Each structure stands twice: as structure tokens, then as C-alpha cells.
Amino acid sequence: MSWEANVRKVVPYTPGEQPKEANIIKLNTNECPYPPAPEVRELLSSMKYENFRLYPDPCATKLIDAISDHYKVPSNQIFVGVGSDDVISMAFLTFFNSDKPILFPDITYSFYDVWADLYHIPYKRCPLDDNFRIVKEDYLKENGGIIFPNPNAPTGVLEDVSMIEDIISHNRESVVIIDEAYIDFGGKSVLPLIDKYDNLLVVQTFSKSRAMAGMRIGFAFGSKKLIKYLNDAKFSFNSYTMNMPSLELGAASVRDDEYFKKTCHMIMETRRRVKCELKSLGFSFPDSQANFIFAKHENISGQSLFCALKAAGIYVRHWNAPRIEDYLRISIGTDEQMDRLIAFLKDYLK
Amino acid sequence: MSWEANVRKVVPYTPGEQPKEANIIKLNTNECPYPPAPEVRELLSSMKYENFRLYPDPCATKLIDAISDHYKVPSNQIFVGVGSDDVISMAFLTFFNSDKPILFPDITYSFYDVWADLYHIPYKRCPLDDNFRIVKEDYLKENGGIIFPNPNAPTGVLEDVSMIEDIISHNRESVVIIDEAYIDFGGKSVLPLIDKYDNLLVVQTFSKSRAMAGMRIGFAFGSKKLIKYLNDAKFSFNSYTMNMPSLELGAASVRDDEYFKKTCHMIMETRRRVKCELKSLGFSFPDSQANFIFAKHENISGQSLFCALKAAGIYVRHWNAPRIEDYLRISIGTDEQMDRLIAFLKDYLK
């Protein structure tokens, strides 16, 4: 028998393309089109390379304190990790240890089932309705945990706080994770509910609205109890996950609220304008409250449009999956980038 | 029933202290006492903060190519991760899926059993002999995999290449991981053996000899097959683990070989001198080939010495564990730091 018999067999996953050519219009991974806050640049230029010889602070104190100050949440109710992927994966491992299935939408972020499989967690996908809305009743059944993004990805559909509170209040026996990766583009966070429900974990990220995808920073808010359990799990497996630049530059980013609000506003303005343009070109889409639009054209297949755009140097995201094969997920870029997209589509569709 | 019933119960782990006071002599986490290579400083000062808005290269091409150039190993035989903890944890998950126990020493790096428990991997600890040497015969029995550090931690004992090759050649049905975190301080790497044995994974780190603990960079060499399996597993769970500064600054560090050799040499020289001093003060220790010395005193208990040193602002590592409770693990610092350690011990022991 070869050693290969004991190798874990997985389906290799291809991440969204990171083209290296210049001039590509990259609207495929929901990155922020604007740079991080100016304070990030300043701190980067004064960072002491000598300190890199030391291990980073395993408690991530500077970063957690900065998040605490900004969001007015005590430090012991905040957890941080290497992107929200790391935070959510750790939450699955820590909280989802029931024999009952965890619940999440059929159309949603593509890593939930991966982590469930990894940790041997049973799960059940609840179909979104025809308008890509969450069907509340599906989440009032017995379960070992609940997770969904709000706004949902890749649809951009936002559910309101009262509906989510209804789900949480009917599920006090399992942990409910709301993945708010895209909440800063017009949505209302369920963050205030952590004071009322000790089983609610709210996850956010620096990768979208804070323009720091390259730094890998995610964070979560919850009751003291939830956060302590997460930290216990994390410290028992790997104490030093976030490196020094993440901790320092992440803190700098959070401190600059004015810039943050300005760039989020710019992206929402661009989104408003692009929605009008797309509609007039024959596209339809759910009303996105995220930094992307999930759109399909009345005549052209998703696959054809995806290929045509790519040939023109415009990268968007497309899934060959049931119910969404005719949709493209188009990230909101700069106004100039979106003008080039619209110009191409006008020409292509005429 | 409360949601807490389904929470993963772990033993919270306390990482080695990272004191914030100035003037502490920190010899407790085997960090390098010298700064990273000068090229790291240069690259840091020219790093473009604007790029942080983008996701990092999931393939870590720049870093892997730099490691490839330096070690003369093809890029497709190199895997990188967030510190060697991340690399080894991923290797456990990928390669150790047998019903037979994996084997590692009873006195060794403290996370091997943690990851085995995490991934439900059966394991068996093989006792080191009275001189803290690995007993080769223990590793010639049926197993689901083998891992040990060389030099071993916290003993610093180095086993020679031919003994390790003997173990590997008798275990072609399981993956053998040699954790070479401390190999650059006088040891001889088993790296050349990867061409001969497709089941050998050699893991190294930037945290010790490369003075980059704060950046979290680990790497591994193996056959094309082994590395492909590791990448498949990694990409299926989390594509973006290493952030941009790690990828860029890690590559810069590897390129400066002269500085690397110089600082390793300085640490070995300091170690040689400290060994003489400790011996003359009544300490005994295995012949360390790492950047630390694992020493016990003929008259004073490990616990007493640990406390006395700490009270004097000198942090070392001590474990209240069978067989090693009278030992202290003392990292090799600068000559000045070690002089202060020796001066304190002379005074304390007289």
C-alpha cells in the first residue's frame, strides 16, 4: 500500500482570477477600487522592520482595541482572524458540534459547505425564494446552527434586522452567525443585537469596505461567552495567526472613519448610477446593497457575456450553477472603470 | 438545552509570554536577537499601500520563486503557509488519514498532539532515551505517519541524516515529516532526500534563523505529488492565507544570503561561549544544535531558577512536565543579553 492511500481527497478549488496583466478591469473579486485609508500609508512608512524578529502579539490587542473604540463594543466581545474566512472557519469548528444539520441558503458564499465537510458537520441548504430572498420559516426548524451572509452573496440581497432578529429569537439553542462582509454599503448591521442574544456572532471583514483584502483581516462581535469560546479554540490550535503588519495597519485603518465613510459613499453612488445604466441595457437584478451587482441580461446567456467581457479585458464572476447560470456578479469599481464596462456593453448589445 | 452544549471543549493554551515592559531580556520564544535582512527594510520602505486593496496572490508566486532560487528546488516542490504551524497543521490534515497511529517523541514540540486531536488522528508518543535521543527502532513499527523536529525541541538534540534516512526508507507507506525549524544553527538538512523519497516532507520557518517571527512564514519541501496534495487541500479550504507583506518581505529575506549566514554564525558563536559558561556554573545540557540551550542545574530546581530569573527580568521557558521539570530552555540572545544572564546566574548561584 502506498502513502497516497491515506491522503485526504478534496475537490481542488480555483480561486477567482488575479490577472497580472496591466489594463485589466478587475470586477471579479469585490475588492474596493479605492486605496486604504491615508493613515495606513503613514503607518506603513514608519513601521519598524527590526520588530519583525519578534512574534506578533497573540492577543491582537492593538487591533482589537481600535475596533473596540470605533464600534463601541468592549474588547472582550471582539475576535479577529486572518480574513473572515479564518474567523468563520474557526466559528464552525467551535460552535457547530451538534448532530443536527446547520442551515444556510442554497445560493450563498461557497465556503460554508466546504468548512462543514472539513469538520464533519451535517448541513442542509435552504432554497432562496424566486426573488433570492431568505425564507424565514426554513430557519425556524430544528438545527445545529445557522449561518448566512447579509447582504447575501452573490445576490447582494439585504434582509432587514427585524426578520433576522425573529430568526435569532427562535433559535436560542444554537449559534447564529450573520456574515456581514458587505454590510457597509448601505445595509443595517445586526450588531446591536449582540447585547440581547448571547448566541449571535456577527462577522465582518477588512477586505471590502476597508480596502485591505491584501492584508487578510476579519473580525467578529458576540457575547463575552461566545468570544471566549472562540479564543480558547484558537489558542489551543495556533496562537500566532495574524502578523505584525495586519495588526498595526488594521488598527490604522479603523481609526480613519471619515475616509471610510467617504469611500463607501462613493461606491454606493457609483452603484446607483450603474444600476440605471444596466437596466436601460436590458439587465435585471435583485436590488443589491453590496459592492457588486448580480445581473442577468434578457437575451444573452451568462456564459456568453462572461466570455465577451473577458475577451475585452473586463473580468467579472460567473458560476455554472443551477438557478444562477445566467447571472454575472459585477463588482463596483471606479466610475471610470464602470464607464468602460457600460461602453463595452452598449457596443456589444447593439 | 443551551447552545453551549454544542461548543467544542478545549484546554485553553497560554502562549509563551510576550512581555511589554522595556528592559526585559526575552529568551523564552527562540526569536532571533538580530533584525531581519537589510533588504527587508528596503522593500518595506518602498511597499505600495495602494495594492493592499487587492487580494494577495493565492499561489504565493514571488515568495515561492525566491525560496526556489535560493534552495535550488523547483517551485512545484515548495509549499508555504502562515508560519510552520500552519504548514504542519495542513500536512496533518492532508496526509494523516490512517487508522494506525502517527508517531512522534514524548518530549517534543507541543502542538503535534493538539493537531492530531483536532483532526481525530490516532497517535503514539515514543519515549526519547535518557540522553534525549530518538530511539530509531520505535519508528520502524507500523504507523499512519511520522513527525519529529530535527534538531528536536525543546532539547536541541540533532539526529544525523543517515539515521533519519533509515527511518524514511523503512516507512514508504506513510508520510514522514521532518520539522527543521532550527536546522540553520549547525544542523544538516535532510532536504536532498526529497529527490529519493516521495513521502518525505521537510518543513522550515522564517521565525528563527530569518528573524521574521512577526511575519508568520513557514515553508515545506517535498515531492511534486506531496506538494500538489497540500495545495489541493489548502485551496479547497482557504485560498488566501498569506498577506501581501509576508509574500513580499519573505522573498526579500531569502535573497540576502550573506546576512543570513552571518547572523546564524553569530548565534552559533554566542551559543558556544554560553555553553562553556553554563557548564562552569554547574549546568548540564544535551549538545544543542539549535538557537537555544536546554539546561538543568546540579542543585537548583527548574521552577526556582525560572522564578528567580523572571524576577530579575530575564524570561526563559520552563515546563512542569515529567522528565523535563528541572530544565530551562534558554534562547540564544545577543552577546550582551547572554552576558547579563551569566552575570545574574553567577551572583545567584554563589
Side-chain angles (χ1 to χ4, degrees), chain A residues 55 237-238 240, chain B residues 79-92 109 111-112 115 147 177-182 201-208 212-213 215-220 242:
Chain A
Y55 278 91
F237 305 130
N238 190 349
Y240 302 107
Chain B
F79 179 80
V80 295
V82 182
S84 59
D85 283 350
D86 180 42
V87 172
I88 297 172
S89 168
M90 188 59 74
F92 270 48
Y109 187 49
F111 274 99
Y112 298 156
W115 296 318
I147 181 165
I177 304 176
I178 306 299
D179 178 356
E180 295 190 337
Y182 300 102
L201 191 75
V202 181
V203 181
Q204 298 192 5
T205 176
F206 281 57
S207 298
K208 316 296 179 185
M212 303 269 275
M215 292 305 298
R216 316 309 305 122
I217 308 172
F219 57 112
M242 306 192 70

Side-chain angles (χ1 to χ4, degrees), chain A residues 1-18 20 26 29-38 40-41 44-45 47-58 61 82 85-86 93-100 111 114-115 118-120 143-144 172-175 198-199 205 207-208 211-216 223 225-226 228-229 232-246 249 259 337, chain B residues 1-18 20 26 29-38 40-41 44-45 47-58 61 82 85-86 93-100 111 114-115 118-120 143-144 172-175 198-199 205 207-208 211-216 223 225-226 228-229 232-246 249 259 337:
Chain A
M1 202 188 70
S2 149
W3 57 269
E4 292 187 71
N6 292 320
V7 170
R8 177 178 281 258
K9 305 297 183 298
V10 296
V11 182
Y13 170 88
T14 311
E17 291 171 279
Q18 299 288 358
K20 274 156 192 160
K26 194 171 175 307
T29 50
N30 300 339
E31 289 145 335
C32 180
Y34 306 109
V40 172
R41 181 184 55 209
L44 179 67
S45 69
M47 195 172 281
K48 301 243 172 297
Y49 90 114
E50 306 92 286
N51 293 341
F52 294 163
R53 72 177 186 85
L54 299 171
Y55 278 91
D57 171 16
T61 311
V82 183
D85 282 351
D86 180 43
L93 180 68
T94 306
F95 300 123
F96 294 163
N97 294 287
S98 164
D99 293 332
K100 297 170 197 159
F111 274 98
V114 168
W115 295 319
L118 172 61
Y119 301 127
H120 311 286
N143 64 74
R172 303 305 306 274
E173 295 184 7
S174 52
V175 171
D198 67 357
N199 61 323
T205 177
S207 298
K208 316 296 180 185
M212 304 270 273
M215 293 304 300
R216 316 310 304 122
S223 63
K225 265 190 199 173
L226 275 186
K228 184 182 180 312
Y229 283 127
D232 285 353
K234 177 209 143 130
F235 280 123
S236 75
F237 305 130
N238 190 349
S239 321
Y240 302 107
T241 56
M242 306 191 68
N243 67 12
M244 281 182 184
S246 290
L249 301 176
Y259 179 83
Q337 290 176 317
Chain B
M1 202 188 70
S2 149
W3 57 269
E4 292 187 71
N6 292 321
V7 170
R8 176 177 281 258
K9 305 299 183 299
V10 295
V11 182
Y13 170 88
T14 311
E17 290 171 280
Q18 299 287 358
K20 274 157 193 160
K26 194 170 174 307
T29 49
N30 299 339
E31 289 145 336
C32 180
Y34 306 110
V40 173
R41 181 184 55 210
L44 179 66
S45 70
M47 197 172 278
K48 301 242 173 297
Y49 91 114
E50 306 92 285
N51 292 340
F52 294 163
R53 73 178 187 82
L54 300 171
Y55 278 91
D57 171 16
T61 311
V82 182
D85 283 350
D86 180 42
L93 180 68
T94 307
F95 300 123
F96 294 163
N97 294 287
S98 164
D99 293 332
K100 297 170 198 160
F111 274 99
V114 168
W115 296 318
L118 172 62
Y119 300 126
H120 310 286
N143 64 73
R172 303 304 307 275
E173 294 185 8
S174 51
V175 171
D198 67 357
N199 60 323
T205 176
S207 298
K208 316 296 179 185
M212 303 269 275
M215 292 305 298
R216 316 309 305 122
S223 62
K225 266 190 197 173
L226 275 186
K228 184 182 180 312
Y229 283 127
D232 285 352
K234 177 209 143 131
F235 281 122
S236 74
F237 305 130
N238 190 349
S239 322
Y240 302 107
T241 56
M242 306 192 70
N243 67 12
M244 281 181 184
S246 290
L249 300 177
Y259 179 84
Q337 289 176 316

Side-chain angles (χ1 to χ4, degrees), chain A residues 52 80 115 170 192 204 246 269 283 321:
Chain A
F52 294 163
V80 295
W115 295 319
H170 284 86
Q204 297 191 5
S246 290
E269 264 305 292
F283 284 91

